[in-house]
Amino acid sequence: MSMRDRHMFLARLALAVTALAFSGASAAQTTAPRLGRSAPADLIRRMDRTVDSVGTGLPEGSGTVASGRAIFAAKCASCHGEGGTGSMAEAVAGGRGTLASLRPIKTVGSYWPFATTLFDYIRRAMPLSAPQTLADSEVYGLVAYLLSINGIAPRNVRLNRMNLPRIQMPNRHGFVSLEGREFDGNIDRPAPVQVKGRRP
């Protein structure tokens, strides 16, 4: 085989290997990856625990300040400190009137805008060492206790799905939306152009 024939053979071989590689890649791209498994309906139902700002999703049950105080001492104080004043984790009490200062203290009483989403967060994420292990009545009790030590709810309150959404938090109007009222959540769609003095 001459040198020229050898070069032609190698060039054709390289083209054939490249063509095979591309055909294999396109075949792999058309096959969906087999990752994980479909979630069973009962698992989805158990995980669908969202409570929104107006209280949609709040469960049945209730809790008192007294029950919440006991639960906080047993399951929360080791991180958040006795009386919620802070320890390994941030304080959950105090700080009222500090948000505009050079050292704002963000707590349930000074910063949190909705009592209902406080319920959602505690039920979903606390205690840190064992999230989603609190019963709904325990969460209601903890929220009652936290609101009480922050001076937002009376000491004898019993919270439930009917009265929790009516709690007015001190920083309720401290959050503003950067989006127009027409924003529907789709960030790819341009917002409507507003003409001065006229709404679209």
Side-chain angles (χ1 to χ4, degrees):
M1 184 183 285
S2 70
M3 187 67 98
R4 181 175 185 277
D5 290 339
R6 185 179 300 165
H7 284 306
M8 291 298 287
F9 172 77
L10 291 174
R12 287 182 183 140
L13 182 62
L15 282 172
V17 169
T18 304
L20 279 172
F22 275 113
S23 67
S26 63
Q29 289 172 351
T30 59
T31 305
R34 293 174 26 208
L35 304 173
R37 60 183 173 82
S38 298
D42 67 316
L43 176 64
I44 294 172
R45 180 183 46 74
R46 281 185 283 132
M47 292 181 69
D48 186 16
R49 298 161 59 93
T50 303
V51 176
D52 66 14
S53 60
V54 296
T56 304
L58 280 169
E60 295 294 333
S62 65
T64 64
V65 173
S67 68
R69 182 182 297 109
I71 296 161
F72 188 90
K75 299 183 179 184
C76 312
S78 60
C79 290
H80 292 285
E82 188 176 334
T85 55
S87 181
M88 290 188 303
E90 58 275 347
V92 290
R96 186 91 64 98
T98 67
L99 294 184
S101 72
L102 293 176
R103 294 180 184 232
I105 301 169
K106 297 179 180 179
T107 70
V108 169
S110 69
Y111 185 71
W112 210 279
F114 300 102
T116 50
T117 55
L118 176 62
F119 181 99
D120 178 83
Y121 179 74
I122 293 171
R123 182 169 70 159
R124 185 182 305 280
M126 293 291 130
L128 187 61
S129 58
Q132 298 186 16
T133 58
L134 295 170
D136 293 336
S137 60
E138 291 179 303
V139 180
Y140 277 119
L142 284 169
V143 173
Y145 173 67
L146 292 174
L147 295 177
S148 173
I149 63 175
N150 278 284
I152 298 167
R155 292 181 192 168
N156 62 348
V157 72
R158 175 182 286 277
L159 291 180
N160 56 47
R161 65 191 297 269
M162 302 305 293
N163 61 5
L164 182 59
R166 294 199 294 262
I167 300 281
Q168 291 296 310
M169 300 297 278
N171 197 37
R172 167 65 186 89
H173 299 291
F175 290 78
V176 294
S177 173
L178 298 179
E179 303 291 348
R181 290 181 182 220
E182 294 82 10
F183 180 66
D184 63 0
N186 185 340
I187 61 172
D188 295 326
R189 184 180 301 124
V193 178
Q194 292 190 2
V195 178
K196 193 172 184 178
R198 207 165 44 122
R199 292 181 68 83

